[in-house]
Amino acid sequence: MTDPQTTYIQQNIKEINQANFSLNKEGLALFGSITNLKTFLKGYFITRLNEQEFSNQLIKDFTERNFIKAKIIEIADQYYIAKSDLQSFYDEVLQSSLINEINKEEFINNSLSFIQKSVSNQHQFGYAKTSLRKIIEKQYDFIFSNGFPTNLLNINTGVMTANAGDSAQFLFLARAILAGYNCSNVDVRSSRYDAVVDFNNILLRLQIKGVSSSNAISFKDRDRGGQGIDHTHITNKGKRITSADCDIYVAVDKEIGICYLIPMNYVDSLEEHEITSINLNTLKQYKENWNIIAQVAETRRI
């Protein structure tokens, strides 16, 4: 590491990998923003991963630490890597390598055996067995790849965040169309809803948000931020999402495409302190519940 940017990272990596890190005057002059710094770090890391010896060394170092997640930061600091990038590397490589130690056919048979032992009606299981085998086989690889691949081309973090939001919309639209619904994307980014569904001549507005590993959603817009924007100003504060904005809130799991269809009458019933950091496990009644579209459309007839 010899150029000014890499030298800065070498000298400041421990601070960079701490929570609430902010760029000093030198860092701002070199990178312009934390987003640019993170993009540079990821690009440098990806370039180094082309050397198989380096990748092997990272695995060796983590193995020697017994794969303890809290130890990742030690390795990240040692090799001048962003902690989050190194953890993503370990998540992908270590999980995918497990597939080499597992017999696929045995896995499928054991899964079917577990289902068979768990159900009361064996005739019912016998009828569904072939379909179950096919879907388990199709999903097998996704178990070890941690779902859909993301940002393989190292797109700028800010751009990727926007693109990921678009991907959630199109994932839902594809799922809805496949399910038989007449729906369309809304291209105007300033709109408070992202898609419309025509259900028996009743137009429903849908706001769609992507969810990844956090498994949490918020019925409140994010505060506006970025270079030159005062995120503390009232005009830049995120607003609560209500039925005035949309009829259904859709949370899309970006890793595997599962959709949660949440009617806004439920959201409107929540207190202000209840609308942020909601774990999707508490909303199981809306998971893949496509009947919500018909139910909400029925309320619009009244």
Side-chain angles (χ1 to χ4, degrees):
M1 302 181 100
T2 55
D3 67 80
Q5 288 182 316
T6 51
T7 299
Y8 177 86
I9 289 170
Q10 183 179 34
Q11 295 173 345
N12 295 276
I13 189 62
K14 289 188 176 181
E15 290 76 17
I16 291 170
N17 277 329
Q18 295 299 315
N20 302 318
F21 169 76
S22 60
L23 286 173
N24 57 21
K25 185 179 293 186
E26 181 187 2
L28 284 171
L30 288 169
F31 296 98
S33 68
I34 290 180
T35 296
N36 292 340
L37 170 69
K38 290 180 178 178
T39 300
F40 180 88
L41 271 169
K42 180 173 287 188
Y44 179 69
F45 180 41
I46 290 174
T47 299
R48 295 164 75 193
L49 286 177
N50 290 328
E51 302 173 11
Q52 190 61 47
E53 185 178 344
F54 179 62
S55 299
N56 293 340
Q57 185 63 50
L58 291 176
I59 299 297
K60 180 176 180 291
D61 289 351
F62 199 30
T63 303
E64 291 173 350
R65 290 169 171 81
N66 296 318
F67 305 106
I68 298 173
K69 187 173 289 188
K71 300 287 187 178
I72 291 177
I73 193 169
E74 296 178 5
I75 305 172
D77 290 346
Q78 179 182 349
Y79 294 106
Y80 315 119
I81 306 168
K83 177 189 172 184
S84 58
D85 290 339
L86 184 55
Q87 182 169 328
S88 295
F89 167 76
Y90 286 140
D91 287 348
E92 178 183 347
V93 172
L94 297 177
Q95 189 164 326
S96 62
S97 66
L98 291 175
I99 199 170
N100 298 321
E101 302 182 40
I102 296 174
N103 181 288
K104 181 176 181 179
E105 189 63 23
E106 187 176 350
F107 175 88
I108 294 172
N109 288 335
N110 285 340
S111 299
L112 289 170
S113 178
F114 175 80
I115 296 171
Q116 183 176 13
K117 292 175 182 177
S118 301
V119 300
S120 57
N121 192 316
Q122 292 303 300
H123 294 294
Q124 182 180 354
F125 170 78
Y127 177 82
K129 182 177 179 180
T130 301
S131 295
L132 287 170
R133 171 177 284 277
K134 287 180 180 179
I135 201 67
I136 292 172
E137 186 171 359
K138 286 181 179 180
Q139 294 183 330
Y140 178 79
D141 291 330
F142 280 109
I143 296 172
F144 301 97
S145 66
N146 210 29
F148 303 135
T150 58
N151 201 11
L152 298 177
L153 302 181
N154 188 32
I155 296 172
N156 174 281
T157 303
V159 174
M160 188 60 212
T161 298
N163 288 353
D166 289 341
S167 75
Q169 284 180 227
F170 291 117
L171 272 172
F172 169 78
L173 287 169
R175 293 286 320 278
I177 292 169
L178 190 62
Y181 291 96
N182 181 3
C183 58
S184 300
N185 187 55
V186 173
D187 293 324
V188 181
R189 284 189 174 270
S190 61
S191 173
R192 294 290 286 166
Y193 51 95
D194 304 303
V196 291
V197 172
D198 181 347
F199 186 84
N200 292 340
N201 296 321
I202 295 177
L203 290 179
L204 300 178
R205 305 160 300 159
L206 288 74
Q207 186 167 142
I208 305 166
K209 300 295 183 185
V211 184
S212 52
S213 56
S214 67
N215 208 38
I217 61 172
S218 174
F219 298 119
K220 186 177 182 180
D221 297 330
R222 286 181 296 186
D223 296 342
R224 290 184 65 233
Q227 194 171 359
I229 296 177
D230 179 9
H231 69 275
T232 63
H233 194 277
I234 187 66
T235 58
N236 293 323
K237 287 290 186 180
K239 298 178 181 178
R240 176 170 181 160
I241 302 166
T242 72
S243 55
D245 303 310
C246 57
D247 302 300
I248 299 173
Y249 179 106
V250 182
V252 181
D253 186 321
K254 292 182 292 185
E255 293 177 339
I256 54 176
I258 289 175
C259 297
Y260 293 75
L261 292 88
I262 306 164
M264 289 307 297
N265 59 8
Y266 165 79
V267 179
D268 289 344
S269 70
L270 299 176
E271 298 292 337
E272 196 69 25
H273 67 276
E274 296 177 311
I275 64 172
T276 57
S277 298
I278 303 167
N279 193 299
L280 287 174
N281 289 330
T282 66
L283 300 173
K284 290 181 179 179
Q285 68 272 34
Y286 302 122
K287 182 178 182 180
E288 288 295 308
N289 188 350
W290 293 86
N291 289 328
I292 291 296
I293 293 175
Q295 293 173 13
V296 173
E298 189 61 30
T299 64
R300 293 284 300 275
R301 296 182 189 278
I302 302 173

